[in-house]
Amino acid sequence: MWEILINSIVMKKLFLMAAVAAVTLCGCGGKSTSVSEDKAASDSTDKILIVYYSQTGATKAVAEEFQRQLGCDIAAIEAVKPYDGDYGATIQRWREEVDNNVKVEIKPLDVNLDDYSSVFIGYPIWGGTYALPMATFLADNAESFKGKKVVTFSTFGSGGVSTSTRDVVAALPDAEVIAGYGVRNARLAKAPEEIAEFLGATDFLDVEIESLPDYSDVTEVTENDVRIFDEACGSYQFPLGTPLKVASRKTPKGTEYRYEVESQAPDSTKSSSIIFVIAPDDGSAPEFTEVVRF
Ligand SMILES: Cc1cc2nc3c(=O)[nH]c(=O)nc-3n(C[C@H](O)[C@H](O)[C@H](O)COP(=O)(O)O)c2cc1C
């Protein structure tokens, strides 16, 4: 169960991150904009590259959607020894590589980073941060990112936007890293619209942004809040904890909830997280958009 295995690694990283310069971080669940128009990027002097790694195709789909909307260059990172086993085999290999501090070998990329002023980097979340082939790419090219704008994007089972973006800030200290976009692999169909919103909010697309209201004050959960939480999170493959408090707001898509959740590991260690849930107005089932762990 990787969500528990990774906990100690993530906690160690969070301590390191405290020393890292702050970036504006927003999970996909915490978005505060909606988009009514989709136009091409207005600043043609800003040459953009997308570099991504994807093992099973989810991040590739998101990378290709970013490319479609931005009309920019794209390059895929490949491991010299591909992770071509099943999920269990990949978890086992990743675990061994992390434990042994292995730097995963990747194939050379046929791009010159010097040609670009902005680089979007995309990866699956592994153990709360970017996948190991992306770690190699960032370590090998850190100097080339000096002065560049870097935008992260990721796909995941439950979350990892903030933790991975903070790791990118630490890996690329001379770059200007801006808030990452992330999407659960179970919600890939929502990515095109959310990417347009994300790009609009970060000025890469010239779009009209409609401001959304702030969340309400935080209150103790009611029975109805718990029912919505259970509907959104109950079928996830791992338990996501007990909701204690909640705030909400109305958006054009429905009601967004921001739950404060407590979880207990098998060794009784307690941890807190924020879980974002959207309950669409069209009557479809509520779904969680991201778990933000601390
Ligand atoms: C080794 C490994 C570790 C993972 N760790 C996490 C994790 O910490 N959090 C999470 O939400 N998902 C985790 N996942 C799920 C992947 O992030 C998710 O399946 C992702 O969408 C895969 O992207 P891809 O299809 O581009 O490879 C992990 C998957 C693997 C194989």
Side-chain angles (χ1 to χ4, degrees):
M1 194 156 137
W2 48 257
E3 306 231 357
I4 289 170
L5 285 173
I6 64 173
N7 203 29
S8 64
I9 300 171
V10 172
M11 288 313 293
K12 275 182 214 148
K13 289 213 156 133
L14 284 172
F15 280 115
L16 283 174
M17 287 165 196
V20 169
V23 289
T24 319
L25 296 174
C26 67
C28 58
K31 266 192 297 293
S32 61
T33 56
S34 76
V35 174
S36 56
E37 201 182 341
D38 183 345
K39 287 192 230 144
S42 55
D43 185 2
S44 58
T45 59
D46 192 21
K47 202 164 173 220
I48 303 170
L49 171 70
I50 294 170
V51 179
Y52 72 94
Y53 170 73
S54 181
Q55 188 216 353
T56 56
T59 312
K60 179 174 192 281
V62 171
E64 289 174 353
E65 182 58 31
F66 268 107
Q67 183 197 26
R68 193 186 67 75
Q69 296 196 24
L70 290 166
C72 63
D73 295 343
I74 189 165
I77 294 168
E78 287 178 67
V80 169
K81 184 183 160 214
Y83 291 83
D84 52 9
D86 62 14
Y87 181 72
T90 306
I91 293 282
Q92 197 184 339
R93 176 175 158 189
W94 162 78
R95 183 78 255 178
E96 283 165 14
E97 288 172 340
V98 169
D99 287 349
N100 296 306
N101 241 334
V102 171
K103 186 176 177 198
V104 171
E105 224 184 312
I106 59 173
K107 295 183 185 170
L109 272 195
D110 190 19
V111 289
N112 182 358
L113 289 172
D114 294 343
D115 293 343
Y116 302 90
S117 53
S118 302
V119 185
F120 282 58
I121 55 173
Y123 43 80
I125 298 294
W126 285 5
T129 192
Y130 39 76
L132 294 177
M134 178 56 77
T136 301
F137 174 74
L138 297 181
D140 287 352
N141 294 283
E143 280 188 13
S144 306
F145 278 93
K146 195 171 179 173
K148 291 193 198 306
K149 223 178 244 184
V150 170
V151 182
T152 66
F153 62 93
S154 52
T155 70
F156 40 78
S158 61
V161 173
S162 344
T163 44
S164 66
T165 302
R166 286 180 192 145
D167 285 355
V168 172
V169 171
L172 304 178
D174 298 323
E176 180 198 345
V177 181
I178 66 171
Y181 167 72
V183 62
R184 292 182 54 217
N185 51 16
R187 298 184 65 255
L188 277 187
K190 308 286 180 357
E193 190 184 349
E194 291 185 354
I195 288 170
E197 293 170 349
F198 173 79
L199 290 173
T202 52
D203 287 338
F204 280 94
L205 279 188
D206 187 9
V207 293
E208 217 173 284
I209 300 293
E210 186 187 325
S211 295
L212 297 182
D214 291 336
Y215 278 93
S216 64
D217 289 342
V218 175
T219 58
E220 305 288 323
V221 288
T222 63
E223 260 181 41
N224 192 46
D225 296 327
V226 174
R227 183 188 57 75
I228 291 167
F229 179 88
D230 288 344
E231 265 191 74
C233 303
S235 58
Y236 187 61
Q237 55 186 325
F238 304 118
L240 291 176
T242 307
L244 302 178
K245 294 188 176 170
V246 69
S248 65
R249 66 178 177 191
K250 284 295 288 175
T251 78
K253 293 177 189 166
T255 306
E256 282 181 3
Y257 295 86
R258 185 182 179 279
Y259 287 95
E260 296 180 14
V261 177
E262 191 175 272
S263 308
Q264 194 164 347
D267 67 358
S268 296
T269 320
K270 286 191 176 165
S271 61
S272 304
S273 60
I274 299 288
I275 299 187
F276 290 97
V277 167
I278 175 87
D281 281 340
D282 64 9
S284 51
E287 48 186 21
F288 78 93
T289 54
E290 190 189 353
V291 179
V292 181
R293 294 185 175 81
F294 302 105

